[in-house]
Amino acid sequence: MSVKRNVLVIDDDVVTTRVIKARLEKIGLSVTCAHSGDEGLDIANKEEPDLILLDIHMPGIDGFETCGELKNNPGTKDIPIIFLTADLNTEIKVRAFDCGATDYITKPFDNRELIARVEAALKMQSLIRKLATQAKSDALTGLLNRSALLDELDYMIARQNHEPDYHFAVMFLDFDRFKLINDSLGHSAGNELLVRVSQSMTQMLDEMVGPGDYVASRLGGDEFILLIETPENNQVLTNLADALQAKLHGPYVVGQYELICSASIGIVLCSGNYEEPESLLRDADIAMYHAKENGKSQFCFFNQQMHAQSMEQLTLEGDLRHALARHELRLLYQPIHNLTTGQLTGFEALIRWHHPVRGVIPPLTFIPIAEESGLIVPIGWWILYEAASQLKLWRQMYPAMRHLRVNVNVSKRQLITPNFVKHADDILNRAGLEHSAITLEITESTIMDNMSILTPILSELRELGFKLAMDDFGTGHSSLGCLNKFPLDSLKIDRSFINNVEHNHSFAAILNSIVTLAHNLNLNVVAEGIEKIEQLAHLQCLDCDYGQGYLFAKPTAVDDVPALLNQDGRKFKHSA
Ligand code: C2E
Ligand code: MG
Ligand code: MG
């Protein structure tokens, strides 16, 4: 159903307005008449017509002045104006266009010309409106797009600066596991789901908040932003976030699938503390990430502590970019001993960052940043080369220690870089060391979460001669039954097991079965975090092959390693 288009005719000559009204109504337009510039401005403001026909010569304010006023007013500035004039003077026509007219018609006018010009102007107007709407909306969901959202935010922030009682909230929604749906069912199923989800979201907001009292937009991908005018009250928003999560859950039938959805939501309550839309979106994004970290389907309110934390991360990331070039990264070496003979068999290389201002930063603080930013890739290559060439040097310096080996930790991000295997091979060749002298440690959770991608990469590494260890075993969720699926050489049992082994019988029993199973699968077992002689004795009784921990030595700087090499390991020998 098309809405009747509305034309306003402003002319002091009553006969002219009457004639125009009759002719335009005949072609289905709705026409309002005004007989002075002031009256015309008044009606234009109230009715926002689709087109104005404006006489130039009128008593009071004339057509040019009226046109100027219309163009100065944000509510009427885009309405096309056709001037009506009896004057054929070029000067006048040029002036008409200068002040913003779309067209002009000379009086007395021909009926067909009037209609043709009015229809052309209306057509142009609807085209312009359509383009303007398209430019503001997200093509997939019809919600506002990013640039329109930023305009809305600009307006709301400005309004808040003038009205201290005006509050609004920004909700940042990001769907959990959406990539999985896109990757497994294809993009068109993903798109259909986004459309359905946005419909059910707006339906719920219409009911709970009221149409017109919220703004919904899609930033891109599976990220949505809601702006909600709200009392300064977290409870209202908490209820809304709860209701949204319940509503978004689905199930949605897409093709032959029934899909369940959940979203993580970050919320910022905006009460005069923001100047820029981008800062608001950034903080909502930070809160959303905190929500995601708390598990799926959570929501989280932004607070200043989160901001400080993410600034800290950003600063560290910036500093980390230069850490390699500035030689701020060092490797420490922690001994690994054979638990039967007590002998030192090798080391685990553990990285430290000597930050010029903050001092030594432990890996658990900066490795996650390195992983997220991708810096772990160049840093990882440095670690491998450094550890391999250091080992080569020790082997040369201490011929009695030719059996020494080094363990190097590798993260998922490193393993999945293209040509990881080839590059690792090149590095060992460059360091002049055989591959089997290096054990690559990969955590249990990395292996378990990425089984299908990693298994072929691990196999290739092993074919080259690298040894592979599953690190932190017991902290992830691997079932013992899975172990035979991976090309592994050893299991490193997590420290938390060793801590408890003396006191807790069930830990000891589990440990016993892990060692037995590992041996059946031809894997050797390394116990991490041995701190006490009692723990060592217990592990020796369980037939654990190797051990590492403060009892033997803490992670040690290169210069202090020779002292460890000269130590007699037999004091750690199994005495039974
Ligand atoms: P991880 O690979 O499991 O390393 C063992 C961690 O346990 C080390 O912490 C080590 O210092 C600590 N440890 C060893 N023996 C004992 C003990 O007897 N008692 C206690 N309380 N702790 C002990 P660190 O050096 O802080 O490293 C933490 C984690 O950071 C490592 O766990 C590893 O996942 C990661 N990491 C360290 N260096 C690297 C590296 O070069 N590359 C990568 N990707 N990750 C690394
Ligand atoms: Mg390790
Ligand atoms: Mg470990």
Side-chain angles (χ1 to χ4, degrees):
M1 190 185 71
S2 72
V3 182
K4 239 185 185 184
R5 317 212 58 193
N6 186 9
V7 178
L8 169 64
V9 186
I10 309 174
D11 196 321
D12 59 313
D13 179 8
V14 184
V15 179
T16 307
T17 54
R18 199 178 298 148
V19 171
I20 294 178
K21 184 173 163 68
R23 288 180 184 168
L24 295 185
E25 280 178 350
K26 255 195 191 157
I27 59 164
L29 298 172
S30 139
V31 179
T32 315
C33 299
H35 297 101
S36 71
D38 283 323
E39 191 192 355
L41 288 173
D42 211 32
I43 298 176
N45 268 328
K46 283 187 201 133
E47 295 187 6
E48 293 186 11
D50 299 295
L51 173 67
I52 296 175
L53 303 186
L54 177 59
D55 184 23
I56 293 183
H57 298 294
M58 292 185 289
I61 62 167
D62 68 4
F64 292 124
E65 228 179 300
T66 310
C67 180
E69 293 278 328
L70 288 165
K71 292 292 161 193
N72 275 335
N73 181 341
T76 54
K77 73 177 176 31
D78 295 324
I79 304 173
I81 295 170
I82 299 180
F83 272 124
L84 302 169
T85 173
D87 215 325
L88 285 174
N89 182 339
T90 310
E91 240 359 64
I92 298 243
K93 288 184 215 159
V94 170
R95 208 177 142 200
F97 283 114
D98 276 351
C99 75
T102 311
D103 201 356
Y104 65 87
I105 300 172
T106 43
K107 294 197 270 190
F109 43 79
D110 175 89
N111 194 17
R112 285 168 310 164
E113 184 187 348
L114 169 76
I115 289 171
R117 289 193 189 267
V118 163
E119 280 183 337
L122 283 173
K123 208 162 163 188
M124 180 72 81
Q125 170 73 346
S126 79
L127 217 84
I128 289 170
R129 279 198 185 150
K130 204 160 148 193
L131 286 176
T133 318
Q134 270 174 12
K136 279 181 159 197
S137 60
D138 168 48
L140 180 66
T141 58
L143 302 180
L144 291 195
N145 62 17
R146 186 187 186 98
S147 87
L149 171 79
L150 291 177
D151 289 346
E152 286 290 335
L153 270 174
D154 258 334
Y155 165 78
M156 288 165 102
I157 290 173
R159 180 166 168 198
Q160 196 169 59
N161 289 337
H162 294 114
E163 293 175 42
D165 290 338
Y166 175 73
H167 302 290
F168 67 94
V170 179
M171 286 189 162
F172 195 127
L173 282 86
D174 183 287
F175 284 84
D176 303 321
R177 297 181 314 120
F178 186 76
K179 190 174 174 316
L180 190 73
I181 291 171
N182 251 351
D183 288 351
S184 50
L185 304 184
H187 281 260
S188 62
N191 283 351
E192 194 177 333
L193 182 64
L194 287 175
V195 172
R196 305 280 295 284
V197 160
S198 66
Q199 284 164 348
S200 74
M201 186 163 69
T202 45
Q203 188 196 351
M204 202 219 85
L205 290 166
D206 282 348
E207 285 162 18
M208 266 190 89
V209 182
D213 290 334
Y214 71 90
V215 170
S217 70
R218 187 170 83 121
L219 274 193
D222 60 342
E223 292 180 340
F224 291 82
I225 300 281
L226 304 177
L227 308 181
I228 311 225
E229 298 187 349
T230 169
E232 196 183 9
N233 177 351
N234 284 7
Q235 192 53 51
V236 174
L237 293 165
T238 301
N239 295 346
L240 189 62
D242 272 334
L244 263 173
Q245 266 160 347
K247 178 80 182 180
L248 292 178
H249 184 265
Y252 302 89
V253 179
V254 172
Q256 76 232 57
Y257 303 98
E258 230 181 52
L259 303 175
I260 304 282
C261 266
S262 76
S264 300
I265 306 178
I267 308 171
V268 182
L269 198 59
C270 184
S271 41
N273 39 353
Y274 288 93
E275 296 285 333
E276 299 293 334
E278 283 83 2
S279 338
L280 247 172
L281 292 183
R282 176 204 63 209
D283 289 351
D285 192 13
I286 292 173
M288 188 278 291
Y289 265 96
H290 277 260
K292 261 202 202 303
E293 275 170 15
N294 296 340
K296 310 286 179 204
S297 197
Q298 300 283 326
F299 62 85
C300 186
F301 281 90
F302 175 77
N303 61 41
Q304 276 310 317
Q305 210 182 331
M306 288 178 190
H307 180 66
Q309 208 176 325
S310 57
M311 284 307 289
E312 155 111 1
Q313 295 251 330
L314 262 183
T315 318
L316 271 187
E317 186 186 316
D319 293 349
L320 191 56
R321 284 187 190 282
H322 308 290
L324 257 186
R326 294 179 182 158
H327 307 287
E328 292 166 7
L329 300 178
R330 316 254 165 86
L331 291 184
L332 299 183
Y333 294 89
Q334 186 176 35
I336 299 175
H337 285 254
N338 179 315
L339 296 192
T340 313
T341 63
Q343 245 198 346
L344 173 71
T345 59
F347 296 94
E348 175 174 5
L350 294 161
I351 196 164
R352 297 291 179 268
W353 178 12
H354 290 250
H355 190 282
V357 179
R358 295 167 192 239
V360 180
I361 302 183
L364 291 178
T365 307
F366 76 87
I367 292 285
I369 299 174
E371 282 173 3
E372 193 146 310
S373 58
L375 287 168
I376 191 67
V377 175
I379 291 176
W381 294 132
W382 175 82
I383 295 169
L384 184 60
Y385 181 73
E386 183 73 14
S389 31
Q390 185 60 58
L391 178 62
K392 165 106 178 166
L393 198 68
W394 284 328
R395 284 179 165 194
Q396 284 169 346
M397 286 168 68
Y398 304 93
M401 291 281 172
R402 290 191 155 274
H403 61 278
L404 275 190
R405 321 172 27 74
V406 163
N407 286 23
V408 173
N409 293 284
V410 187
S411 75
K412 175 195 165 195
R413 181 78 187 250
Q414 294 174 263
L415 283 168
I416 60 169
T417 42
N419 296 325
F420 177 83
V421 179
K422 158 124 194 9
H423 213 120
D425 183 29
D426 289 346
I427 285 184
L428 272 264
N429 292 335
R430 197 144 55 83
L433 190 75
E434 75 261 17
H435 301 73
S436 61
I438 298 285
T439 301
L440 300 176
E441 294 192 6
I442 302 134
T443 63
E444 177 189 34
S445 51
T446 299
I447 296 182
M448 294 309 296
D449 294 346
N450 307 281
M451 258 196 257
S452 54
I453 317 174
L454 292 189
T455 311
I457 300 172
L458 299 184
S459 298
E460 280 182 59
L461 286 168
R462 203 140 171 266
E463 269 165 36
L464 275 180
F466 282 108
K467 303 283 178 204
L468 301 179
M470 187 186 264
D471 199 0
D472 303 347
F473 181 77
T475 53
H477 37 265
S478 66
S479 80
L480 288 169
C482 272
L483 284 179
N484 62 345
K485 292 194 186 144
F486 308 112
L488 292 173
D489 300 277
S490 45
L491 281 190
K492 293 191 77 176
I493 300 180
D494 191 67
R495 198 165 75 224
S496 51
F497 277 87
I498 315 307
N499 279 340
N500 289 306
V501 75
E502 312 152 71
H503 313 296
N504 189 322
H505 289 301
S506 59
F507 270 90
I510 295 170
L511 213 51
N512 194 13
S513 54
I514 294 174
V515 175
T516 310
L517 179 90
H519 286 167
N520 285 340
L521 293 171
N522 268 337
L523 300 174
N524 58 53
V525 181
V526 188
E528 294 187 302
I530 306 175
E531 293 183 354
K532 299 184 199 157
I533 197 86
E534 297 81 14
Q535 292 166 341
L536 172 65
H538 210 113
L539 288 159
Q540 286 170 325
C541 290
L542 289 176
D543 219 9
C544 183
D545 307 284
Y546 298 94
Q548 178 183 350
Y550 294 171
L551 177 70
F552 305 103
K554 290 201 167 176
T556 305
V558 174
D559 292 345
D560 300 325
V561 166
L564 296 174
L565 296 178
N566 292 325
Q567 236 178 37
D568 185 358
R570 278 177 298 180
K571 64 180 169 187
F572 301 119
K573 185 171 178 269
H574 186 19
S575 49

